Amino acid sequence: MQHFILKTIQFVKQTLANAEAGHDWFHIERVFKTAQNINAKENGDALVVTLAALLHDIADPKFNSGDEDLGPNIAEAFLLSLKVDAETVKHVKLIIQHMSFKNSFDDAGFTSKEMQIVQDADRLDAIGAIGIARAFTYGGFKNRVLYDPAIKPEQHLTKDSYKNTTAPTINHFYEKLLLLKDMMNTSAGKEIAIERHNFMLIYLDQFYNEWEGN
Ligand code: ADP
Ligand code: NI
């Protein structure tokens, strides 16, 4: 088992060598550690949890012309080449296929304890101090303004507002980041989410205060 994990770490590091900062190896490493922490309380299959956490962003459709199958297929081929057992490979592939935020709205297709753990770990990396850093990194990459006081983000939300590509980065807190706490699957994940959520509320409060020159 340790052998599979070490080989997978090596493969993922290599594959993500040129990835942007929100989806680089360090994102994977944080999700991997968080998933292991959650699993210590939730007792899922440790190999499935670990491999799915490591491989979940191996080919993000956003950066691969929308191809949703590429990541799951790369993960499957890689694990089969290591001779990981077929059951485990199938499970890991299903997790990667069904894990994205978009799929979690549209798709009631597949779930398992291991999927819930890895999904929680991935979502936790989008909130708290790291989540804030990732959001502004993404916003900078897309050349978005930090905030626009003319747009009250909490009043302009629809189910599709996360698709708006020009909105200020602060909007992203209201369309996604502040919703994640209530989307946690596991109680261990929820506990961590509450702490990170509260930190974001304090952050926003301070942000608006500073915006007014206080
Ligand atoms: P994930 O990889 O967790 O499924 P995404 O690929 O949607 O999430 O986003 C990667 C990171 O960029 C996350 O931390 C997310 O919050 C952030 N992000 C995504 N969309 C936006 C946006 N419109 N504005 C600011 N940050 C964003
Ligand atoms: Ni991720």
PDB file of all heavy atoms in Angstrom, residues 23 57 60 62 101 122 126 131 134-135 138-139 144 169 172 175-177, ligand 1:
ATOM      1  N   HIS A  23      -4.294  24.991  -8.051  1.00  0.00           N
ATOM      2  CA  HIS A  23      -4.432  23.550  -8.295  1.00  0.00           C
ATOM      3  C   HIS A  23      -3.084  22.874  -8.415  1.00  0.00           C
ATOM      4  O   HIS A  23      -2.937  21.907  -9.155  1.00  0.00           O
ATOM      5  CB  HIS A  23      -5.208  23.310  -9.595  1.00  0.00           C
ATOM      6  CG  HIS A  23      -6.650  23.620  -9.446  1.00  0.00           C
ATOM      7  ND1 HIS A  23      -7.209  24.797  -9.827  1.00  0.00           N
ATOM      8  CD2 HIS A  23      -7.663  22.890  -8.911  1.00  0.00           C
ATOM      9  CE1 HIS A  23      -8.496  24.792  -9.553  1.00  0.00           C
ATOM     10  NE2 HIS A  23      -8.802  23.667  -8.992  1.00  0.00           N
ATOM     11  N   ASP A  57      -7.383  15.992  -9.001  1.00  0.00           N
ATOM     12  CA  ASP A  57      -7.256  17.141  -9.923  1.00  0.00           C
ATOM     13  C   ASP A  57      -6.192  16.878 -10.983  1.00  0.00           C
ATOM     14  O   ASP A  57      -5.553  17.810 -11.473  1.00  0.00           O
ATOM     15  CB  ASP A  57      -6.865  18.414  -9.147  1.00  0.00           C
ATOM     16  CG  ASP A  57      -8.067  19.143  -8.549  1.00  0.00           C
ATOM     17  OD1 ASP A  57      -9.166  19.046  -9.114  1.00  0.00           O
ATOM     18  OD2 ASP A  57      -7.892  19.803  -7.504  1.00  0.00           O
ATOM     19  N   ASP A  60      -7.808  18.822 -14.633  1.00  0.00           N
ATOM     20  CA  ASP A  60      -9.019  19.622 -14.432  1.00  0.00           C
ATOM     21  C   ASP A  60      -9.642  19.976 -15.781  1.00  0.00           C
ATOM     22  O   ASP A  60      -8.959  20.531 -16.644  1.00  0.00           O
ATOM     23  CB  ASP A  60      -8.637  20.904 -13.667  1.00  0.00           C
ATOM     24  CG  ASP A  60      -9.859  21.665 -13.176  1.00  0.00           C
ATOM     25  OD1 ASP A  60     -10.825  21.805 -13.957  1.00  0.00           O
ATOM     26  OD2 ASP A  60      -9.839  22.112 -12.018  1.00  0.00           O
ATOM     27  N   LYS A  62     -11.392  22.359 -16.629  1.00  0.00           N
ATOM     28  CA  LYS A  62     -11.262  23.792 -16.914  1.00  0.00           C
ATOM     29  C   LYS A  62     -10.022  24.090 -17.758  1.00  0.00           C
ATOM     30  O   LYS A  62     -10.005  25.018 -18.526  1.00  0.00           O
ATOM     31  CB  LYS A  62     -11.131  24.591 -15.606  1.00  0.00           C
ATOM     32  CG  LYS A  62     -12.463  24.934 -14.975  1.00  0.00           C
ATOM     33  CD  LYS A  62     -12.345  26.088 -13.972  1.00  0.00           C
ATOM     34  CE  LYS A  62     -11.501  25.794 -12.753  1.00  0.00           C
ATOM     35  NZ  LYS A  62     -11.856  24.593 -12.018  1.00  0.00           N
ATOM     36  N   PHE A 101     -17.458  20.528  -7.906  1.00  0.00           N
ATOM     37  CA  PHE A 101     -18.525  21.378  -7.356  1.00  0.00           C
ATOM     38  C   PHE A 101     -19.718  21.384  -8.309  1.00  0.00           C
ATOM     39  O   PHE A 101     -20.863  21.259  -7.910  1.00  0.00           O
ATOM     40  CB  PHE A 101     -17.967  22.790  -7.176  1.00  0.00           C
ATOM     41  CG  PHE A 101     -18.911  23.766  -6.537  1.00  0.00           C
ATOM     42  CD1 PHE A 101     -19.294  23.615  -5.215  1.00  0.00           C
ATOM     43  CD2 PHE A 101     -19.392  24.854  -7.244  1.00  0.00           C
ATOM     44  CE1 PHE A 101     -20.149  24.534  -4.615  1.00  0.00           C
ATOM     45  CE2 PHE A 101     -20.239  25.770  -6.652  1.00  0.00           C
ATOM     46  CZ  PHE A 101     -20.616  25.612  -5.337  1.00  0.00           C
ATOM     47  N   ASP A 122     -11.439  18.419  -0.142  1.00  0.00           N
ATOM     48  CA  ASP A 122     -11.253  19.351  -1.260  1.00  0.00           C
ATOM     49  C   ASP A 122     -11.994  20.655  -0.986  1.00  0.00           C
ATOM     50  O   ASP A 122     -11.468  21.750  -1.211  1.00  0.00           O
ATOM     51  CB  ASP A 122     -11.759  18.692  -2.548  1.00  0.00           C
ATOM     52  CG  ASP A 122     -11.347  19.464  -3.795  1.00  0.00           C
ATOM     53  OD1 ASP A 122     -10.222  20.014  -3.820  1.00  0.00           O
ATOM     54  OD2 ASP A 122     -12.133  19.508  -4.755  1.00  0.00           O
ATOM     55  N   ALA A 126     -11.009  25.174   0.001  1.00  0.00           N
ATOM     56  CA  ALA A 126     -11.552  26.385  -0.628  1.00  0.00           C
ATOM     57  C   ALA A 126     -12.005  27.400   0.410  1.00  0.00           C
ATOM     58  O   ALA A 126     -12.432  28.497   0.054  1.00  0.00           O
ATOM     59  CB  ALA A 126     -12.712  26.014  -1.553  1.00  0.00           C
ATOM     60  N   GLY A 131      -8.355  29.214   1.634  1.00  0.00           N
ATOM     61  CA  GLY A 131      -9.420  29.448   0.661  1.00  0.00           C
ATOM     62  C   GLY A 131      -9.452  30.897   0.204  1.00  0.00           C
ATOM     63  O   GLY A 131      -9.636  31.187  -0.986  1.00  0.00           O
ATOM     64  N   ARG A 134      -6.600  31.423  -2.123  1.00  0.00           N
ATOM     65  CA  ARG A 134      -6.863  30.808  -3.437  1.00  0.00           C
ATOM     66  C   ARG A 134      -7.840  31.664  -4.245  1.00  0.00           C
ATOM     67  O   ARG A 134      -7.683  31.808  -5.457  1.00  0.00           O
ATOM     68  CB  ARG A 134      -7.423  29.398  -3.272  1.00  0.00           C
ATOM     69  CG  ARG A 134      -6.389  28.385  -2.816  1.00  0.00           C
ATOM     70  CD  ARG A 134      -7.030  27.004  -2.671  1.00  0.00           C
ATOM     71  NE  ARG A 134      -7.155  26.300  -3.932  1.00  0.00           N
ATOM     72  CZ  ARG A 134      -8.043  25.339  -4.158  1.00  0.00           C
ATOM     73  NH1 ARG A 134      -8.909  24.993  -3.217  1.00  0.00           N
ATOM     74  NH2 ARG A 134      -8.073  24.721  -5.308  1.00  0.00           N
ATOM     75  N   ALA A 135      -8.855  32.190  -3.572  1.00  0.00           N
ATOM     76  CA  ALA A 135      -9.851  32.985  -4.298  1.00  0.00           C
ATOM     77  C   ALA A 135      -9.202  34.228  -4.911  1.00  0.00           C
ATOM     78  O   ALA A 135      -9.428  34.546  -6.085  1.00  0.00           O
ATOM     79  CB  ALA A 135     -10.999  33.384  -3.373  1.00  0.00           C
ATOM     80  N   TYR A 138      -6.980  33.279  -7.856  1.00  0.00           N
ATOM     81  CA  TYR A 138      -7.808  33.009  -9.037  1.00  0.00           C
ATOM     82  C   TYR A 138      -8.327  34.318  -9.638  1.00  0.00           C
ATOM     83  O   TYR A 138      -8.267  34.528 -10.852  1.00  0.00           O
ATOM     84  CB  TYR A 138      -8.972  32.101  -8.624  1.00  0.00           C
ATOM     85  CG  TYR A 138      -9.865  31.638  -9.745  1.00  0.00           C
ATOM     86  CD1 TYR A 138      -9.714  30.365 -10.306  1.00  0.00           C
ATOM     87  CD2 TYR A 138     -10.877  32.454 -10.234  1.00  0.00           C
ATOM     88  CE1 TYR A 138     -10.543  29.937 -11.321  1.00  0.00           C
ATOM     89  CE2 TYR A 138     -11.710  32.035 -11.257  1.00  0.00           C
ATOM     90  CZ  TYR A 138     -11.543  30.774 -11.802  1.00  0.00           C
ATOM     91  OH  TYR A 138     -12.369  30.361 -12.807  1.00  0.00           O
ATOM     92  N   GLY A 139      -8.811  35.213  -8.766  1.00  0.00           N
ATOM     93  CA  GLY A 139      -9.317  36.508  -9.236  1.00  0.00           C
ATOM     94  C   GLY A 139      -8.229  37.307  -9.940  1.00  0.00           C
ATOM     95  O   GLY A 139      -8.487  37.954 -10.965  1.00  0.00           O
ATOM     96  N   ARG A 144      -9.682  40.210 -12.147  1.00  0.00           N
ATOM     97  CA  ARG A 144     -10.917  40.742 -11.565  1.00  0.00           C
ATOM     98  C   ARG A 144     -10.611  41.772 -10.484  1.00  0.00           C
ATOM     99  O   ARG A 144      -9.560  41.703  -9.851  1.00  0.00           O
ATOM    100  CB  ARG A 144     -11.692  39.605 -10.908  1.00  0.00           C
ATOM    101  CG  ARG A 144     -12.112  38.601 -11.932  1.00  0.00           C
ATOM    102  CD  ARG A 144     -12.987  37.579 -11.318  1.00  0.00           C
ATOM    103  NE  ARG A 144     -13.313  36.583 -12.322  1.00  0.00           N
ATOM    104  CZ  ARG A 144     -14.171  35.615 -12.130  1.00  0.00           C
ATOM    105  NH1 ARG A 144     -14.784  35.499 -10.972  1.00  0.00           N
ATOM    106  NH2 ARG A 144     -14.415  34.757 -13.081  1.00  0.00           N
ATOM    107  N   THR A 169     -13.993  39.495  -6.918  1.00  0.00           N
ATOM    108  CA  THR A 169     -13.644  38.282  -6.183  1.00  0.00           C
ATOM    109  C   THR A 169     -14.449  38.130  -4.889  1.00  0.00           C
ATOM    110  O   THR A 169     -14.803  37.009  -4.512  1.00  0.00           O
ATOM    111  CB  THR A 169     -12.125  38.254  -5.905  1.00  0.00           C
ATOM    112  OG1 THR A 169     -11.450  38.234  -7.161  1.00  0.00           O
ATOM    113  CG2 THR A 169     -11.717  37.037  -5.100  1.00  0.00           C
ATOM    114  N   HIS A 172     -17.407  35.873  -4.867  1.00  0.00           N
ATOM    115  CA  HIS A 172     -17.191  34.424  -4.801  1.00  0.00           C
ATOM    116  C   HIS A 172     -17.416  33.873  -3.383  1.00  0.00           C
ATOM    117  O   HIS A 172     -17.812  32.727  -3.227  1.00  0.00           O
ATOM    118  CB  HIS A 172     -15.775  34.103  -5.288  1.00  0.00           C
ATOM    119  CG  HIS A 172     -15.519  32.650  -5.494  1.00  0.00           C
ATOM    120  ND1 HIS A 172     -16.248  31.885  -6.378  1.00  0.00           N
ATOM    121  CD2 HIS A 172     -14.634  31.792  -4.909  1.00  0.00           C
ATOM    122  CE1 HIS A 172     -15.818  30.637  -6.340  1.00  0.00           C
ATOM    123  NE2 HIS A 172     -14.834  30.548  -5.457  1.00  0.00           N
ATOM    124  N   GLU A 175     -21.186  33.357  -3.414  1.00  0.00           N
ATOM    125  CA  GLU A 175     -21.737  32.355  -4.333  1.00  0.00           C
ATOM    126  C   GLU A 175     -21.186  30.965  -4.043  1.00  0.00           C
ATOM    127  O   GLU A 175     -21.783  29.982  -4.452  1.00  0.00           O
ATOM    128  CB  GLU A 175     -21.487  32.768  -5.786  1.00  0.00           C
ATOM    129  CG  GLU A 175     -20.026  32.818  -6.155  1.00  0.00           C
ATOM    130  CD  GLU A 175     -19.725  33.699  -7.364  1.00  0.00           C
ATOM    131  OE1 GLU A 175     -20.539  34.602  -7.649  1.00  0.00           O
ATOM    132  OE2 GLU A 175     -18.693  33.490  -7.996  1.00  0.00           O
ATOM    133  N   LYS A 176     -20.099  30.856  -3.330  1.00  0.00           N
ATOM    134  CA  LYS A 176     -19.548  29.529  -3.072  1.00  0.00           C
ATOM    135  C   LYS A 176     -18.982  29.350  -1.662  1.00  0.00           C
ATOM    136  O   LYS A 176     -19.408  28.479  -0.929  1.00  0.00           O
ATOM    137  CB  LYS A 176     -18.471  29.201  -4.118  1.00  0.00           C
ATOM    138  CG  LYS A 176     -17.782  27.862  -3.864  1.00  0.00           C
ATOM    139  CD  LYS A 176     -16.813  27.471  -4.975  1.00  0.00           C
ATOM    140  CE  LYS A 176     -16.010  26.232  -4.600  1.00  0.00           C
ATOM    141  NZ  LYS A 176     -14.983  25.906  -5.589  1.00  0.00           N
ATOM    142  N   LEU A 177     -17.999  30.191  -1.312  1.00  0.00           N
ATOM    143  CA  LEU A 177     -17.210  29.877  -0.124  1.00  0.00           C
ATOM    144  C   LEU A 177     -18.045  29.794   1.159  1.00  0.00           C
ATOM    145  O   LEU A 177     -17.847  28.896   1.978  1.00  0.00           O
ATOM    146  CB  LEU A 177     -16.065  30.896   0.045  1.00  0.00           C
ATOM    147  CG  LEU A 177     -15.174  31.089  -1.205  1.00  0.00           C
ATOM    148  CD1 LEU A 177     -13.972  31.962  -0.869  1.00  0.00           C
ATOM    149  CD2 LEU A 177     -14.716  29.761  -1.776  1.00  0.00           C
TER     150      LEU A 177
HETATM  151  P1  ADP B   1     -12.094  23.061  -6.940  1.00  0.00           P
HETATM  152  O1  ADP B   1     -10.787  22.765  -7.590  1.00  0.00           O
HETATM  153  O2  ADP B   1     -11.988  23.143  -5.466  1.00  0.00           O
HETATM  154  O3  ADP B   1     -13.216  22.233  -7.450  1.00  0.00           O
HETATM  155  P2  ADP B   1     -12.372  25.400  -8.575  1.00  0.00           P
HETATM  156  O4  ADP B   1     -11.546  24.740  -9.604  1.00  0.00           O
HETATM  157  O5  ADP B   1     -13.732  25.886  -8.946  1.00  0.00           O
HETATM  158  O6  ADP B   1     -12.512  24.523  -7.289  1.00  0.00           O
HETATM  159  O7  ADP B   1     -11.579  26.615  -7.994  1.00  0.00           O
HETATM  160  C1  ADP B   1     -10.251  26.537  -7.540  1.00  0.00           C
HETATM  161  C2  ADP B   1     -10.011  27.661  -6.564  1.00  0.00           C
HETATM  162  O8  ADP B   1     -10.289  28.900  -7.174  1.00  0.00           O
HETATM  163  C3  ADP B   1     -10.947  27.534  -5.365  1.00  0.00           C
HETATM  164  O9  ADP B   1     -10.294  27.906  -4.185  1.00  0.00           O
HETATM  165  C4  ADP B   1     -12.058  28.476  -5.723  1.00  0.00           C
HETATM  166  O10 ADP B   1     -12.708  29.010  -4.598  1.00  0.00           O
HETATM  167  C5  ADP B   1     -11.349  29.530  -6.516  1.00  0.00           C
HETATM  168  N1  ADP B   1     -12.300  30.101  -7.478  1.00  0.00           N
HETATM  169  C6  ADP B   1     -13.074  29.460  -8.382  1.00  0.00           C
HETATM  170  N2  ADP B   1     -13.877  30.323  -9.028  1.00  0.00           N
HETATM  171  C7  ADP B   1     -13.608  31.538  -8.511  1.00  0.00           C
HETATM  172  C8  ADP B   1     -14.083  32.861  -8.738  1.00  0.00           C
HETATM  173  N3  ADP B   1     -15.048  33.111  -9.616  1.00  0.00           N
HETATM  174  N4  ADP B   1     -13.552  33.865  -8.014  1.00  0.00           N
HETATM  175  C9  ADP B   1     -12.598  33.638  -7.107  1.00  0.00           C
HETATM  176  N5  ADP B   1     -12.090  32.418  -6.828  1.00  0.00           N
HETATM  177  C10 ADP B   1     -12.583  31.387  -7.527  1.00  0.00           C
END
